[in-house]
Structure formats: structure tokens, C-alpha cells
Amino acid sequence: MAGQFQAPKGVPDYFPPRSNSFLAVQNAIGNAAALAGYGYVELPIFEDVNLFVRGIGESTDVVSKEMYVFEDRGGRTLALRPEGTAGVARVVIEHGLDRGQLPVKLWYKGPFFRAERPQQGRYRQLQQVGIEAIGAPDPALDVEVISVADDAFRSLGLRDFNLLLTSLGCANCRPKYREKLSDYLLKLDLDEETKNRAKLNPLRVLDDKREEVQKQLNSAPLIINELCSECSSYHKEVEDLLKATDVSFTPAPRLVRGLDYYTRTTFEFDHPELGAQSGIGGGGRYDGLMASLGGQDLSGIGFGIGTDRTLMACEAENLIVGDQSLVDVFIVPIGNKAHSLAVSLLQQIRSADIRADMAYGDRGLKGAMKAADKSGAKFAVVIGDEEVSSAQVQIKNLGDSSQNQVALGDMVAHLIQAIRQTEN
Ligand code: HAM
């Protein structure tokens, strides 16, 4: 029966068993970050709107079309965070984290909000896990950031993804390139809106999906060929280090990102089986961001991995991630005395760090066994009045239906051993 309410447009719900896989994906990325020395930062869900306008860039779609902006009761203009990098930079500056050991290395997770047109894999509430490393312009750090993402995907068992890599230059070479590209674009046969974009943000035109635009772009100048010597040797070092660490990548000189802060190393992870929304993660360097937000002039690099899309990628590769069961043991009490006993047995089992649940309500043996099956438990502990008086329980292996009668005092030890055996 459909209720009166539905989730807002473009907002996915995650509930068991799929939510277990969602958490497993989130944890895998968080673990890869923690393994490389990133500390956790909990970012606010909303911030001063100008943090994003200044940080991400006024002419980006994310800021100009997709932000959820609202006024609070004190008349402040706030926005739901569309991404995490600007928020991390703000935390680092506000709390002086950049006055300590550099680079500052942080990771974060959670929902972000973009009023995009919803479609398969494109949500208005999207989930990311991200890392940021601020304060060390070192190619080895670029390689670390990329490797953490690569390790996270591989730890989930993913294989069919590609790493697209390029350099977007710096404050020295990029403006010259922009001008060159803009001049080139303005000579083409483009509509007014695209011409405007060619003046304002010419790199974005390279990303235009329309065939009539793309076919005119074959000989467009590319930033990778216009890098200054510093950017060029920096990029070569990143590529050489990636090769040395066995992280495979595809040079992507036409890669365009939707956020304006990128400089030098820029990358995207792509999963071809996801169709139109194939980007499972992306990131890069942002060497001017800290200064533009009023902080020290420190470099930075990071990534945001899309948790929703990474889960979809796992599903596309038929990977089962996360525990699909809710518990290991399910107690089935039959009769009132057994029901009361089950309450304390449940506590004993959980105290031994075994996930356990019981049949609540008056469901009868059949209903209770069905609940045990649905929970994914490996074992059912069946107690009837007879077992209560003899201080025994029946432990049923739900996998092969074998059954053992065990004294109450031995129940926990028996379960620990039996579960261990199923895991071997
Ligand atoms: P982004 O490329 O905008 O980068 O987003 C990162 C990832 O979030 C994407 O690759 C995609 O997997 C996921 N994502 C983005 N939008 C949506 C959506 N509407 N629905 C589902 N998934 C989505 C950033 O946000 C940067 N802050 C990453 C970064 C960190 N760069 C440097 N540090």
C-alpha cells in the first residue's frame, strides 16, 4: 500500500540488506584513508553560501544552478554543502590546523546536495567519501591520494574501472591557455550561449556533449600541450611515480571537471558499466583554494568518491560487499517461560560479541523459524517449556538443518565454536 509521502525527488533510500553494502563501501574507503594516515573530520551539512561561491567558482553549474540556498532565522544566507573540499579548507583555516605538521590530511563522508536533474546514478542527495591533503606540493602526495582511491576500489573487489589523468596547469600557464582556447572557440560556429561560455569558462566547452559542437573541437588546443615547464615536469613525475607503484592510468587531455579550483594533477575514476553517470570518483590539486578563502597560500590535493555510484559499480561487477545477514544467532522461544528466558539468553549471547536477535510477539513456531531464516542467522536457538525445565536448548544449524541439544551453561561457548567453524 503506497503511503501518503515519498522521498523527495532524486533522493535515494538505503535500507537492509542493501544498506549493509552501502556501509561496507563507505567503510572500505574510510579504511583506505585511515591506513594512509588521514584523520577523520566531521563537516557541517550547511555553510555560509559564499564559502562555496568563492571556493568552487561562480560560473560553475554546481554553484550557479544546483545549490540549495536558504536564509536562516537570523537572515544569514546558507547553502547545503554541494561538495566537501571548500568545507575542509575552511576548517583547516578556522582552526589553524595548517600551523601544525604539514600536510594536514583529513577524510570525511556523508551526504552532499546538488539540484541536478535526477536520473540513474545522479541524485540530488548524493553520498561521498573524500580525502584532502593540504600543505605539500609534492608529486608523491598526488600519487598517494590517487593510490588511496585505487586501493579503496580494489579492496571492494572492483576491477573494471579506469583512472583518467591529466594536468590543468597553474596560475602561470592556465590563463594563457584559456585565452588561446577562447580565441579558437570564438571562431567556431556556436550558438550565443555557448559563445558566452567560451568567453567565461572556455574549458567547459570542451565538455559539451552535443555532436555539432564536438566535431568542431578536434583540433582545439589542449592544456597538456601548453603547460609551463614547472607544471610539465611536475606532471611527468606524477606519471612516473604512478607507473612505479603499478597504478594504471589513461592520459585524458580533454578531462574537464565541474569545479573551478583545480590546478595541475586532475583525475577521474570511471566505471564503464554505469552508463551515462560513469564517474565513480574524482579529484585533483587545488593550489589556489586556501589563499582564495583567506588562508595561507598552501597547496592541496584530494578526491571525492561517490558512495552511491561505487555501490552500483560493485553490483554491476556482481560483487557481494558487506554482510548480507543481520545476525548470526536467532532465538526461537515457544511458550511464555521460554520467552522470558530468551530475554536473558539474548543478553548473554550479545555479551560474547555475537550478533543475535529473537522472535518477538506471538508468532508460533512456524512464523518464528521464518523470521530466523529472514534474519540471515546461521543458528537458531530453539527453547520450549521442556527445555526450560531441563535447562537445555536446541541449537539448530540453519544451513544444514542439523541439530544439537546443549546445556544452558554451555550455550555461548558452543555458539562461539560453531560460528567459527562456519567461517573456516
Ligand atoms: P565531484 O567530481 O563533483 O568532485 O564529485 C565526486 C564524485 O561524487 C563523483 O565522481 C561522483 O561519483 C559523485 N557524485 C557527484 N555528483 C553526484 C550526483 N549528483 N549523484 C551521485 N553521485 C554524484 C567533488 O565533489 C570534489 N570535492 C572532489 C575533490 C576533493 N576534489 C579535490 N578534493
Side-chain angles (χ1 to χ4, degrees), residues 70-375:
F70 63 100
E71 201 165 286
D72 75 359
R73 286 159 200 262
R76 300 168 198 90
T77 309
L78 302 166
L80 296 184
R81 57 183 191 184
E83 60 101 52
T85 311
V88 169
R90 198 242 340 123
V91 169
V92 169
I93 297 167
E94 184 170 342
H95 301 282
L97 305 185
D98 52 347
R99 279 186 247 119
Q101 188 75 17
L102 295 177
V104 181
K105 305 208 309 190
L106 297 168
W107 76 276
Y108 52 89
K109 65 176 160 66
F112 296 87
F113 305 87
R114 297 181 190 177
E116 296 193 77
R117 191 185 303 226
Q119 64 176 77
Q120 171 83 342
R122 185 160 77 195
Y123 302 127
R124 291 186 170 172
Q125 175 171 306
L126 58 119
Q127 298 272 348
Q128 282 185 12
V129 181
I131 72 173
E132 311 293 347
I134 294 173
D138 177 350
L141 188 59
D142 301 40
V143 170
E144 171 178 286
V145 167
I146 292 171
S147 303
V148 168
D150 192 73
D151 289 346
F153 293 135
R154 288 189 191 283
S155 75
L156 288 162
L158 284 170
R159 290 289 172 267
D160 302 339
F161 59 89
N162 302 312
L163 165 60
L164 309 173
L165 179 76
T166 196
S167 170
L168 290 181
C170 66
N172 176 20
C173 50
R174 194 153 66 218
K176 289 178 209 151
Y177 165 71
R178 257 180 77 125
E179 211 167 299
K180 192 167 175 181
L181 178 62
S182 183
D183 288 348
Y184 172 90
L185 294 173
L186 290 171
K187 286 188 202 124
L188 303 179
D189 176 21
L190 301 170
D191 57 85
E192 274 316 298
E193 200 188 328
T194 314
K195 275 198 170 139
N196 270 337
R197 201 173 308 140
K199 286 181 207 150
L200 254 153
N201 203 335
L203 269 91
R204 196 61 49 73
V205 179
L206 292 181
D207 201 29
D208 200 309
K209 301 281 183 284
R210 290 170 299 177
E211 202 185 320
E212 67 268 27
V213 178
Q214 274 306 325
K215 69 175 187 223
Q216 299 186 68
L217 297 176
N218 287 335
S219 51
L222 296 171
I223 178 83
I224 200 78
N225 302 324
E226 312 282 335
L227 297 176
C228 61
S229 60
E230 286 84 359
C231 286
S232 188
S233 54
Y234 193 97
H235 193 61
K236 172 138 194 347
E237 219 174 317
V238 171
E239 288 190 326
D240 288 347
L241 281 169
L242 280 174
K243 284 175 196 155
T245 43
D246 273 340
V247 175
S248 46
F249 62 89
T250 309
R254 287 170 181 267
L255 182 65
V256 180
R257 305 271 298 133
L259 313 158
D260 273 354
Y261 47 61
Y262 290 111
T263 55
R264 290 194 169 171
T265 309
T266 306
F267 57 89
E268 245 169 47
F269 286 90
D270 187 81
H271 199 287
E273 280 169 67
L274 293 191
Q277 304 302 316
S278 61
I280 53 173
R285 249 185 194 283
Y286 42 86
D287 289 347
L289 179 65
M290 288 286 288
S292 78
L293 297 176
Q296 297 189 67
D297 190 6
L298 291 176
S299 63
I301 178 160
F303 68 63
I305 292 181
T307 319
D308 314 274
R309 289 190 196 165
T310 304
L311 173 56
M312 293 167 79
C314 291
E315 290 164 347
E317 289 195 31
N318 292 319
L319 297 168
I320 296 170
V321 288
D323 204 328
Q324 298 301 298
S325 67
L326 290 168
V327 290
D328 297 309
V329 174
F330 199 92
I331 305 183
V332 175
I334 303 147
N336 287 340
K337 280 192 203 142
H339 205 79
S340 308
L341 179 63
V343 175
S344 64
L345 293 185
L346 200 54
Q347 282 319 110
Q348 280 180 36
I349 299 170
R350 289 176 184 164
S351 299
D353 231 13
I354 298 173
R355 301 177 305 158
D357 199 1
M358 67 177 267
Y360 289 107
D362 189 11
R363 328 181 61 153
L365 179 61
K366 216 168 146 203
M369 287 308 291
K370 208 167 158 190
D373 270 333
K374 275 201 109 170
S375 74

Side-chain angles (χ1 to χ4, degrees), residues 396-413:
K396 184 168 182 191
N397 181 327
L398 294 172
D400 61 14
S401 296
S402 61
Q403 199 153 311
N404 276 302
Q405 182 150 315
V406 177
L408 256 189
D410 299 334
M411 179 195 67
V412 171

Side-chain angles (χ1 to χ4, degrees), residues 16-84:
R18 195 167 181 253
S19 51
N20 284 349
S21 305
F22 175 88
L23 276 180
V25 168
Q26 199 175 50
N27 290 339
I29 309 166
N31 287 343
L35 204 59
Y38 289 74
Y40 181 67
V41 57
E42 180 69 35
L43 297 173
I45 301 278
F46 56 84
E47 300 257 15
D48 184 328
V49 67
N50 288 315
L51 171 67
F52 301 120
V53 174
R54 192 119 45 95
I56 301 170
E58 208 153 359
S59 69
T60 60
D61 283 356
V62 170
V63 165
S64 65
K65 299 187 190 152
E66 298 168 359
M67 265 207 300
Y68 286 94
V69 181
F70 63 100
E71 201 165 286
D72 75 359
R73 286 159 200 262
R76 300 168 198 90
T77 309
L78 302 166
L80 296 184
R81 57 183 191 184
E83 60 101 52

